[in-house]
Amino acid sequence: MTNIQQKLARTYEEDGYSATLTFWAENQDEINALSEKERTALKNMMSRYCRINGDEKNAAIVLAEKENPQSKESIAFFFDFARIYHCGKNVEKDETKSKTLCRMIFEQGDSDDLYRLGLMYKSGDGVSQDYAKAAECFQKVAVAGNKIAQFLLAEMYMRGLGVEKSRAEAEKWYTSANEEKDRYSAGLSHMTIPDGIEVIEESAFEGFDDLRSVVIPESVKRIGDRAFKGCRNLESVKFSDDSIVLGFEAFEDCPLNEETKELINKTNYVFIKGNGDIKDFYIGRFPVTQDLYEEVMGTNPSHFKGARRPVESVSWYDAVYFCNKLSEKFGYTPVYEVDGKTDVSRWGYEPNRNVRLYGNITQNTDADGFRLPTNDEWKYAARGGRNYIFAGSDDLAEVGWYRGNSRGTTHPVGKKKPNDYGLYDMSGNVNEWLVDSYNYYCGGSWFSYWDASNVGFTGRYAAGMRSDDIVFRVVRNATEK
């Protein structure tokens, strides 16, 4: 008996079948290095374990051998024509032929081909979307040791896409995909996401109580809604790309440490590349929410209460006061000065009560702290590099809350589609104060008709006015890029 056979037997006897599947997936390099005779003996051994546990699917995968594998050129041909027949490009659309070619890829392709086919089935790109077939492809590739396929398969089990929803199966495949093993913990306590994953899907790890730390590679561009919500022991999250898009409640109810909170706070601000007249800047992904405002100011003046709703009923003066307080909280140089003083405690102003902030209000344009956007900055960011009527769409209902769909109230931020820069609620929900001349605003609100939510619209309020349809969004000079 070879050394790896002994390890396989010991894993099965001591840790059970699930751990044996994980062992098989994780040791493919060593398995493939065996002689043909040794590999065949090991496959027979593993297939017996599968059948003992009623797992005929994995038994067939383990034993699968391609006696006459197709050449890469043939498989590439199958991919091309499966897509052509599905889309009807230059030929009459023929879904039957497309499905036949996909079946040939599944039966005759190698692991790379099956992984690519799985991605096509999952996204519906070039074939009819079929989560069950995607899961079947990923299953074969995952058993062969592909960590990205293991991760994607885990997400599908977590969400019940193409497979029966199973937290246990999800955790098993997450454990296999994990780049960082914790030999002292039976649960999934430390997770390093495989490099190559681009999106962590919504609710991917929701409620994983054993999870304590996560390392996210640069390949990940978006973390979905509620991806880690309710991970009650998750303290540390590490990633290096602060342009990553965080979904709604991605880390809700997680006891994150201060370092992680500061890192995640950065992701709440989107880097906007200027165009010559407009310098590079960061802008809030969402308008300021009630939970953030209350954390900084110690009070919540909003009429429509809700932690993740915008903090309306704030004046322009309240907004600049908040900006300096937020700058101090994160160690940035405050932007706004009143009679030369940046310390808000010396302004003689009580936010959410006083009607006017007296004194000469100026701003330090070189400071790295938080401030209100200019009219030009706001509109540039709202357009998102596109020419839509509204921020992210020509259909206001797709991106914003307005008189026609709001039911007379504000709504939690991030519930509508973002624009192409990943910014939410820039059309509708609440108007947003601008820095220009103390009394300009943009965006439209829950109370507005559709025309006020047009990205080209600018309105005016008195700077001391407080209304339940106006809020603000903060920006910072991009001194770090």
Side-chain angles (χ1 to χ4, degrees), residues 419-472:
N419 74 359
D420 285 60
Y421 285 165
L423 303 175
Y424 292 83
D425 296 281
M426 294 202 79
S427 286
N429 209 4
V430 276
N431 295 298
E432 298 183 14
W433 285 114
L434 305 174
V435 73
D436 305 69
S437 300
Y438 298 12
N439 57 358
Y440 284 100
Y441 67 86
C442 285
S445 76
W446 61 269
F447 186 72
S448 304
Y449 291 101
W450 68 271
D451 54 340
S453 298
N454 184 319
V455 292
F457 174 83
T458 303
R460 299 185 72 171
Y461 273 150
M465 181 174 178
R466 297 185 176 98
S467 172
D468 59 14
D469 68 344
I470 192 162
V471 69
F472 60 98

Side-chain angles (χ1 to χ4, degrees), residues 177-297:
N178 193 5
E179 297 283 2
E180 178 185 349
K181 305 303 180 197
D182 184 355
R183 69 183 65 183
Y184 303 107
S185 174
L188 186 65
S189 58
H190 304 285
M191 180 77 199
T192 296
I193 308 296
D195 192 18
I197 292 294
E198 295 184 356
V199 176
I200 299 175
E201 299 285 0
E202 67 177 59
S203 303
F205 291 89
E206 186 172 353
F208 272 59
D209 288 344
D210 290 332
L211 198 58
R212 296 178 181 276
S213 69
V214 177
V215 178
I216 298 171
E218 287 190 12
S219 61
V220 174
K221 303 304 178 188
R222 179 168 61 83
I223 299 176
D225 294 350
R226 302 175 299 282
F228 295 90
K229 182 179 180 179
C231 294
R232 293 184 296 180
N233 290 294
L234 180 58
E235 297 179 348
S236 173
V237 181
K238 295 182 179 179
F239 47 86
S240 56
D241 185 359
D242 61 13
S243 67
I244 192 171
V245 176
L246 286 190
F248 185 70
E249 295 185 340
F251 294 96
E252 190 79 1
D253 300 327
C254 299
L256 303 173
N257 59 34
E258 288 304 315
E259 181 182 357
T260 300
K261 285 181 181 178
E262 185 172 347
L263 187 62
I264 288 176
N265 178 69
K266 272 189 167 184
T267 72
N268 286 327
Y269 302 95
V270 177
F271 174 73
I272 304 295
K273 183 68 176 174
N275 65 353
D277 294 333
I278 298 174
K279 295 180 179 180
D280 300 349
F281 63 98
Y282 291 95
I283 185 168
R285 195 177 300 282
F286 311 104
V288 172
T289 54
Q290 293 176 34
D291 55 353
L292 176 60
Y293 191 88
E294 189 165 4
E295 179 184 341
V296 173
M297 304 284 274

